[in-house]
Amino acid sequence: MRARPLQIARPLAAAARRPRRIAVLGPARFAVGEPFAGGLEAHTLTLARALRRRGHEVTLFAGPGDSAPPPDFPVTPIIERSLEIDASERSDTSMPVSAVAQLDVGHRRVLEQVTMPGRFDAVHNNTLHELPASHDYGPLGVLHVLHCPPIAEVDAAHRARQVDPRDSHEVVAVSAPLARRWRPVRSRPVWNGVEVEVWSPGDHAAGEGCAWAGRIVSEKAPHVAIDAARLAGRSIDLAGPIQEPVYFEREVRPRLGPDVRYLGHLGSHELVELYATAAVGVVAPCWEEPFGLVAAEMLACGTPVAAFARGVLPDVITSDVGAIAEGDDAAALAAAIEVAAAADRRRCREHAVATLSIDVMVDAYEALYERSRVRSLVAPGAWSGVAG
């Protein structure tokens, strides 16, 4: 079931537009600068920029202090130094014991700053950590966004907080399928958005090959995208950080050749060119994709998308802007590539602007900041359970 726009009462909508002092809590493990380590880092910086453009005073708390911040946006580090995590321990939903203490200390320090009286009006929690989910923020409007499958500690924190009838926090999942996976945690689906001014066809002319981009990890399955493109008789270019070197060496490198190129870890401007000059963007996850920001970026560049029917992708990629492979193998995806190649590229762009833009997403977020603030004032006496 596709996520629907929030129905906002007029007084609430008007109040949602007032300028705020917003603390954005981002991911701590990687920098929120280009080239991005992953979709969460890219999304968090895009959100912070969009809120600032709307007149809000935004303070961004995110990745390690030894990383270079983006040139246009100061970042207050959650941890001082980058975590040393072996590739075999790296995961979206778990963390090696060696890194837990450093993250706990960093989040506690940041939460003390965020809840200093009079400093902020609203908190936007994009972290994958349990302490921001359980913290007592007093009268602040608080919005938590669920970006990945349930993490045991974060899940438990949300469940414990929501038991209290005075809980005023709002919780969003980036898709309806993800919201269902987090039940009984109560959340509403709000799709991620992309900057359609950045992700744009521009003057690029589409070619005949395919494009794939993302973290080079087994659950994103770029090797299947390669096999599908070859079965469809098309070349394919891949881009992204190699976060599972063993997987890359075993499954991806042997498949490289004249028709399959690995372009490295690219920044957004290079990715725009990659997408806009491709005939089809390919998304081949072997897990239930929570959102798939890359599909939104491709569509905004006017590029139709062929993807597996995983997670939210069948909702995002409608039949007029791409094709969904109902099977789970390269042959099914190859057939979807050929169907997608015939899609109207102008319609792909229109679909992204109307449903996947950052403005659509921020409209919903602003309303939820206000809804949470109003509820916290209606029920004075903030929840004081497990505090960070």
Side-chain angles (χ1 to χ4, degrees):
M1 180 178 180
R2 186 173 303 171
R4 297 179 178 178
L6 292 172
Q7 299 299 313
I8 305 167
R10 288 184 179 179
L12 183 61
R17 288 191 292 270
R18 67 182 180 85
R20 290 179 175 80
R21 297 165 298 172
I22 302 174
V24 175
L25 310 183
R29 285 191 279 177
F30 304 111
V32 290
E34 295 206 38
F36 294 107
L40 182 55
E41 288 76 21
H43 168 83
T44 299
L45 182 57
T46 299
L47 166 70
R49 287 169 170 162
L51 290 171
R52 188 172 64 178
R53 285 197 302 270
R54 292 202 175 189
H56 302 294
E57 180 183 322
V58 180
T59 302
L60 175 56
F61 299 88
D66 58 359
S67 60
D72 65 326
F73 215 108
V75 177
T76 301
I78 295 176
I79 56 177
E80 295 304 319
R81 292 180 297 278
S82 297
L83 300 172
E84 295 184 2
I85 303 175
D86 184 84
S88 64
E89 298 178 293
R90 194 182 300 281
S91 169
D92 281 343
T93 59
S94 65
M95 177 67 61
V97 174
S98 60
V100 170
Q102 188 177 345
L103 287 168
D104 285 354
V105 169
H107 283 96
R108 289 181 189 279
R109 184 182 65 251
V110 164
L111 290 169
E112 288 178 359
Q113 297 178 45
V114 168
T115 49
M116 290 176 60
R119 184 172 181 187
F120 294 105
D121 306 308
V123 178
H124 186 109
N125 176 24
N126 261 357
T127 73
L128 305 179
H129 198 274
E130 66 270 19
L131 292 180
S134 63
H135 194 71
D136 179 356
Y137 295 90
L140 301 180
V142 183
L143 175 63
H144 305 276
V145 183
L146 308 175
H147 288 275
C148 67
I151 302 170
E153 295 83 1
V154 180
D155 177 77
H158 281 300
R159 291 191 194 199
R161 196 195 65 253
Q162 290 189 347
V163 166
D164 194 300
R166 296 168 296 175
D167 174 45
S168 61
H169 298 196
E170 291 286 344
V171 182
V172 155
V174 297
S175 67
L178 185 63
R180 290 191 290 270
R181 292 189 67 182
W182 275 85
R183 288 175 181 167
V185 173
R186 297 185 301 277
S187 64
R188 65 183 77 229
V190 175
W191 282 359
N192 284 337
V194 300
E195 290 185 289
V196 294
E197 296 78 18
V198 173
W199 303 98
S200 169
D203 298 326
H204 299 294
E208 296 298 323
C210 298
W212 181 98
R215 294 177 298 111
I216 309 284
V217 293
S218 53
E219 67 261 25
K220 298 289 187 179
H223 71 285
V224 179
I226 294 171
D227 292 348
R230 280 187 167 143
L231 286 172
R234 296 178 183 269
S235 64
I236 186 168
D237 288 334
L238 297 89
I242 299 173
Q243 293 186 356
E244 288 184 11
V246 173
Y247 164 75
F248 179 83
E249 295 299 329
R250 184 182 67 244
E251 299 289 351
V252 178
R253 188 180 294 282
R255 288 173 163 85
L256 301 180
D259 59 338
V260 179
R261 299 187 302 170
Y262 171 58
L263 304 180
H265 190 185
L266 305 183
S268 58
H269 294 294
E270 296 165 303
L271 286 171
V272 166
E273 182 176 358
L274 172 65
Y275 299 157
T277 56
V280 179
V282 183
V283 183
C286 8
W287 72 325
E288 295 305 310
E289 190 68 61
F291 186 76
L293 204 62
V294 66
E297 294 167 352
M298 290 171 170
L299 291 169
C301 289
T303 304
V305 177
F308 283 138
R310 293 291 196 133
V312 73
L313 291 172
D315 293 340
V316 171
I317 304 164
T318 53
S319 60
D320 56 339
V321 300
I324 294 295
E326 295 297 340
D328 205 15
D329 59 23
L333 189 57
I337 288 173
E338 289 309 292
V339 173
D344 185 332
R345 298 179 74 90
R346 288 176 299 179
R347 175 61 193 136
C348 295
R349 170 71 178 174
E350 292 168 355
H351 174 69
V353 171
T355 64
L356 298 165
S357 77
I358 195 76
D359 285 335
V360 173
M361 182 191 76
V362 172
D363 284 344
Y365 284 174
E366 287 180 321
L368 290 171
Y369 300 150
E370 182 64 18
R371 191 190 303 268
S372 174
R373 186 191 70 87
V374 169
R375 288 172 59 192
S376 72
L377 296 176
V378 170
W383 181 71
S384 57
V386 182

